[in-house]
Amino acid sequence: MCNREPDEKRLSQKEIKYAKGYYENMETYFQQVAWQYMPNMQRSEADQRIVRPNLMSHVFIKAKVSVVGVDDEEVDLAAN
């Protein structure tokens, strides 16, 4: 059994290899095509290009059907 990062535990080894290769190919492509003309978007600033959700914002939902306990989350929603 191999030790994997927590964010890789749901992917098979082949899926991980594919995803990493895809990411590297996209980085190379964008560097050659666009980022060389945008100095503020260089690879060293890759984290700034990643869009992350605001986990501190409010979310409003409306359930179409009743939902009780999903996975490990405490979720109890009444319909409507």
Side-chain angles (χ1 to χ4, degrees):
M1 188 171 280
C2 64
N3 293 334
R4 296 193 293 179
E5 297 294 324
D7 59 341
E8 297 177 340
K9 67 183 179 181
R10 295 182 184 207
L11 299 175
S12 70
Q13 291 297 324
K14 288 182 180 182
E15 290 170 326
I16 292 169
K17 182 179 177 182
Y18 174 82
K20 287 181 179 179
Y22 179 82
Y23 172 79
E24 291 169 3
N25 289 335
M26 291 302 293
E27 284 285 313
T28 301
Y29 172 75
F30 283 122
Q31 179 62 41
Q32 292 173 352
V33 172
W35 291 335
Q36 62 182 337
Y37 304 109
M38 295 181 270
N40 62 334
M41 297 294 283
Q42 297 299 318
R43 184 170 172 75
S44 63
E45 299 172 358
D47 284 342
Q48 294 178 2
R49 294 192 306 265
I50 298 172
V51 178
R52 292 184 176 87
N54 180 356
L55 299 178
M56 301 306 293
S57 66
H58 292 20
V59 176
F60 298 92
I61 61 171
K62 181 178 180 180
K64 291 184 177 182
V65 296
S66 296
V67 178
V68 179
V70 178
D71 297 330
D72 294 336
E73 301 287 328
E74 283 190 38
V75 177
D76 292 324
L77 302 172
N80 296 316

